[in-house]
Amino acid sequence: MDRTATLDHFWLPFTPNREFKREPRLFARAEGVHYFTPEGRKILDGCSGLFCTPLGHGRREIADAVHEQLLTLDYTPTFTRAHPKAFELATRVAGFTPTGLDRVFFANSGSEAVDSAMKIALAYHRARGEGQRTLFVSRERAYHGVNMGGVALSGLVRNRESFGTGVPGVMHMRHTHLPENRFARGLPEKGGELADDLARLGQLHGFANIAAVFIEPIAGSTGCLPPPRGYLERVRELCDTHGILLVFDEVITGWGRTGHAFAAQAFGVTPDLITMAKALTNGAQPMGAVAVKRGVHDAIVERGPLHAPELFHGYTYSAHPAACAAALATLGLYDAERSFEQARALAPYFQERVFSLCDLPAVADVRGYGLLAGIDLRAESGAPGLAGHEAQKRLFDAGLHLKATGDALLLAPAFGFSRAQVDELVDVLREMLGASR
Ligand SMILES: Cc1ncc(COP(=O)(O)O)c(C=O)c1O
């Protein structure tokens, strides 16, 4: 670090700043599935950064594409102007999304994608003469980013108590984290009936007033909650019956994490909109997107006046040329390296090894699907989040990077992890969580 720089000025997001600045933990470099500290210590990246880099770090193909793009066309607005790669990328994305979700709106993050999806849902109903549909349904324990729309959808207490409830008219279904499903592998057997919370909310508030239901097919940030069997199907059925849009927030599950391009395909349930970000560019450029069913798009776009935007929404950096170049290179690699098949092939071994930690007294629950897993730590101190926070610090010192949310540790390795690297990840955890094999 430049010697004149101090740690004082950077206000870190989602971080206890005073503690961090007393004992900073920095990454200076990354390559493949490893980070390196400024002192050159190697740290295994067991969470693809923040679920962003399934292709591994430092991919030259992506870096070169961004470099070339910045020298060719560094920036153009996409309000009444555009550039070829934006169209190329939207077409490529539509080749991966479930059939019918082939219209793509670009944003710069998952949070922006979520807020964009909320606006698209409102605009859709308004365009069809159902402007009374202004209510949204989300779930307890959901994480839909940090913009005010996403905070309103959020089902995480800290997100809500810090800033109020955000936009009004958001209702929450119960979460599906049931004690009966502790240590359940794959999709839990119990809890499919919780989808009927949507019916109760509809009966109370009027189905005809609900615009959209937001669901993470696997609730990610809260600690990896795969959907109970039959749950997503039931939500889809209720949405169909009552004219409600179904949005899958696939910011974590999108782009191969389940072994399929999207969790919608893994679980065979097709939503009306999909939000995505993170692995869309392998984390190399900020980018988010909403894939929208053609009928939803057309209802908005075909009805607007020719001289004015049909959707009054967009970002200065929507479809930024460098982000488009990064995403095109990323999607090219997903194809060339058969990345989703690679993820699917590694998943059983990964799950087997992660579930081998169930015997540890420090472990309260393990859940997982594909190359995503969550481990709940026993919160002995009674202070929620303390066990997770301490574990996350000790893991860094032990040479492993994972994300902690509350007392849950999240595992999301790159798709190219070898079995030996999976073993290393699990061994570091076993040792750190304090028990011998
Ligand atoms: C499901 C989901 N939605 C939205 C977001 C917000 O994405 P971002 O941090 O890129 O704004 C996240 C971030 O982890 C997420 O997991």
Side-chain angles (χ1 to χ4, degrees), residues 3 5 44 88 99 132 135 156 167 219 271 294 298 312:
R3 279 203 215 151
L44 182 66
E88 209 183 310
T99 310
Q132 87 287 351
L135 302 179
L156 295 175
V167 300
R294 193 179 303 185
D298 289 353
F312 234 75

Side-chain angles (χ1 to χ4, degrees), residues 51 109-112 114 143-146 216 221 249 251-252 277-278:
F51 318 99
S109 65
S111 299
E112 288 185 1
V114 166
Y143 181 72
H144 295 295
V146 292
E216 294 165 88
S221 282
D249 185 349
V251 167
I252 287 180
K278 295 184 187 279

Side-chain angles (χ1 to χ4, degrees), residues 278-294:
K278 295 184 187 279
L280 171 56
T281 61
N282 199 46
Q285 290 284 300
M287 186 173 230
V290 191
V292 183
K293 248 186 199 161
R294 193 179 303 185

Side-chain angles (χ1 to χ4, degrees), residues 120-243:
I120 290 169
L122 292 173
Y124 166 72
H125 292 301
R126 185 178 281 259
R128 293 163 47 258
E130 289 199 66
Q132 87 287 351
R133 287 192 185 260
T134 56
L135 302 179
F136 290 100
V137 176
S138 175
R139 298 193 296 172
E140 296 169 352
R141 296 192 64 149
Y143 181 72
H144 295 295
V146 292
N147 290 350
M148 288 312 269
V151 167
L153 295 174
S154 172
L156 295 175
V157 179
R158 287 300 302 280
N159 285 38
R160 300 173 68 75
E161 69 184 8
S162 301
F163 306 110
T165 47
V167 300
V170 179
M171 302 167 297
H172 290 76
M173 299 161 68
R174 282 172 292 175
H175 64 71
T176 61
H177 190 210
L178 302 177
E180 307 89 281
N181 289 330
R182 277 177 69 232
F183 299 113
R185 293 182 184 223
L187 304 190
E189 295 296 332
K190 302 276 166 51
E193 71 287 354
L194 287 165
D196 283 325
D197 279 7
L198 176 56
R200 291 185 63 156
L201 291 170
Q203 279 150 13
L204 181 62
H205 299 280
F207 284 109
N209 294 325
I210 301 176
V213 179
F214 278 71
I215 303 264
E216 294 165 88
I218 300 175
S221 282
T222 189
C224 182
L225 301 177
R229 284 191 193 285
Y231 181 92
L232 296 175
E233 291 83 346
R234 179 71 181 133
V235 171
R236 177 70 272 182
E237 192 185 315
L238 285 165
C239 287
D240 283 344
T241 307
H242 298 287

